[in-house]
């Protein structure tokens, strides 16, 4: 599994810098929780990693390669899996077709759906021929995660994967993310508002405010006082 290092990232929409000097490390197999109030730059950070903002300056290395100059598809092919907010599955495609879309980012050309995806999310096997648009929100989120995993990524980036999802599926998704990290060794970068889950699942946290890192550390250092100061509304 690869490491990722960001150094003094400035990311822009138009002429306005949304991220301002953000730096972080993701070591091999590590779990990093990105936290902060709404509108502070969390989603922009993930989009910057994927090359989805208007402009990004600074340094961003994945393994031994600088990737800021690469396109989004090129970054995916290096092994960065991304599950955006809103899931963005293709509603007219079946579950199988949506998952197979992920395999097109595989550099080895394989088009097989890994068996463990259906062990992790059995409902997807049951609904394999159903259109993605006919699934519930939680099932669509499971499908979006399976699609990203079908590309055999080295790290997985998730933007609030349990937001607005029915409670019985939230636990399944949280358990799957932890299992992918601890059992399969996937590096995880997770934007998450659920403080107890972020604290228990992650190794380290990054706290953003107004596009800057205001606090970073090991997850057991994220005290209730810090949560009250930086995360409560």
């Amino acid at each position: 599994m690869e490491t990722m290092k960001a150094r003094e990232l400035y990311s822009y929409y138009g002429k306005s810098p949304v991220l301002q000097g953000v730096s972080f490390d993701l070591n091999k197999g590590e779990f990093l929780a990105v936290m902060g109030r709404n509108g502070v730059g969390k989603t922009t950070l993930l989009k910057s990693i994927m090359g989805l903002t208007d402009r990004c300056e600074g340094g961003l290395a994945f393994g031994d390669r600088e990737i800021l100059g690469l396109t989004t598809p090129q970054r995916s092919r290096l092994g960065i899996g991304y599950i955006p907010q809103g899931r963005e599955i293709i509603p007219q495609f079946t579950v199988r077709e949506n998952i197979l879309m992920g395999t097109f980012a595989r550099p080895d050309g394989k088009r097989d759906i890994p068996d463990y995806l259906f062990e992790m999310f059995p409902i997807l096997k049951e609904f394999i021929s159903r259109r993605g648009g006919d699934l519930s929100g939680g099932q669509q989120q499971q499908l979006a995660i399976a699609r990203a995993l079908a590309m055999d990524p080295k790290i997985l980036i998730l933007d609030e994967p349990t937001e607005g999802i029915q409670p019985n599926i939230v636990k399944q998704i949280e358990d799957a993310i932890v299992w992918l990290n601890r059992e399969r060794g996937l590096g995880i970068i997770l934007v998450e508002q659920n403080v107890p889950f972020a604290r228990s699942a992650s190794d380290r946290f990054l706290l953003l405010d107004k596009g800057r890192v205001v606090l970073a550390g090991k997850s057991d250092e994220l005290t209730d006082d810090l949560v009250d100061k930086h995360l409560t509304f």
Side-chain angles (χ1 to χ4, degrees):
M1 298 298 144
E2 301 288 357
T3 60
M4 179 173 283
K5 294 182 184 295
R7 292 293 177 265
E8 292 293 312
L9 284 184
Y10 284 78
S11 198
Y12 297 78
Y13 294 117
K15 294 182 179 178
S16 302
V18 178
L19 291 188
Q20 302 182 59
V22 170
S23 299
F24 70 86
D25 290 342
L26 182 76
N27 298 315
K28 290 183 180 181
E30 199 168 47
F31 192 136
L32 176 68
V34 180
M35 309 178 77
R37 296 184 178 93
N38 290 333
V40 299
K42 303 185 302 293
T43 292
T44 299
L45 174 58
L46 301 195
K47 287 186 172 183
S48 301
I49 293 170
M50 295 308 301
L52 294 169
T53 61
D54 293 344
R55 180 163 54 96
C56 193
E57 300 169 346
L60 182 63
F62 186 53
D64 57 1
R65 186 166 183 180
E66 172 59 46
I67 66 171
L68 276 189
L70 301 183
T71 65
T72 300
Q74 287 172 329
R75 298 183 199 201
S76 294
R77 285 183 173 274
L78 288 178
I80 306 174
Y82 175 48
I83 298 106
Q85 221 172 4
R87 301 179 279 276
E88 296 181 12
I89 63 150
I90 300 177
Q92 298 87 355
F93 281 18
T94 65
V95 167
R96 181 190 298 279
E97 289 166 340
N98 268 284
I99 297 174
L100 284 173
M101 291 255 325
T103 67
F104 284 89
R106 290 182 66 119
D108 61 11
K110 290 183 179 178
R111 298 289 177 261
D112 303 325
I113 297 177
D115 289 336
Y116 80 87
L117 299 184
F118 298 128
E119 294 168 12
M120 194 165 56
F121 299 134
I123 197 69
L124 298 182
K125 187 170 187 178
E126 185 180 336
F127 290 169
I128 193 72
S129 299
R130 191 171 291 194
R131 292 196 322 165
D134 294 336
L135 304 185
S136 71
Q139 291 162 355
Q140 288 184 8
Q141 185 65 278
Q142 291 176 326
L143 178 55
I145 293 170
R147 178 183 58 190
L149 291 170
M151 62 174 276
D152 193 27
K154 298 183 174 79
I155 70 169
L156 201 59
I157 299 172
L158 305 101
D159 195 350
E160 296 198 33
T162 61
E163 183 185 32
I165 286 174
Q166 53 268 49
N168 62 315
I169 293 185
V170 167
K171 182 70 165 58
Q172 276 184 275
I173 289 173
E174 289 179 345
D175 288 348
I177 294 168
V178 171
W179 181 82
L180 289 164
N181 174 247
R182 294 180 185 167
E183 300 302 322
R184 292 190 69 87
L186 266 184
I188 302 283
I189 300 178
L190 173 74
V191 166
E192 183 56 73
Q193 298 281 17
N194 181 339
V195 174
F197 174 64
R199 191 189 269 148
S200 65
S202 64
D203 300 302
R204 292 187 301 111
F205 72 93
L206 204 64
L207 196 54
L208 298 183
D209 193 18
K210 297 178 182 175
R212 300 180 184 275
V213 177
V214 291
L215 209 59
K218 294 181 179 179
S219 293
D220 58 8
E221 297 169 351
L222 186 60
T223 63
D224 291 340
D225 286 345
L226 292 175
V227 170
D228 289 343
K229 182 177 179 181
H230 294 287
L231 293 170
T232 52
F233 294 91

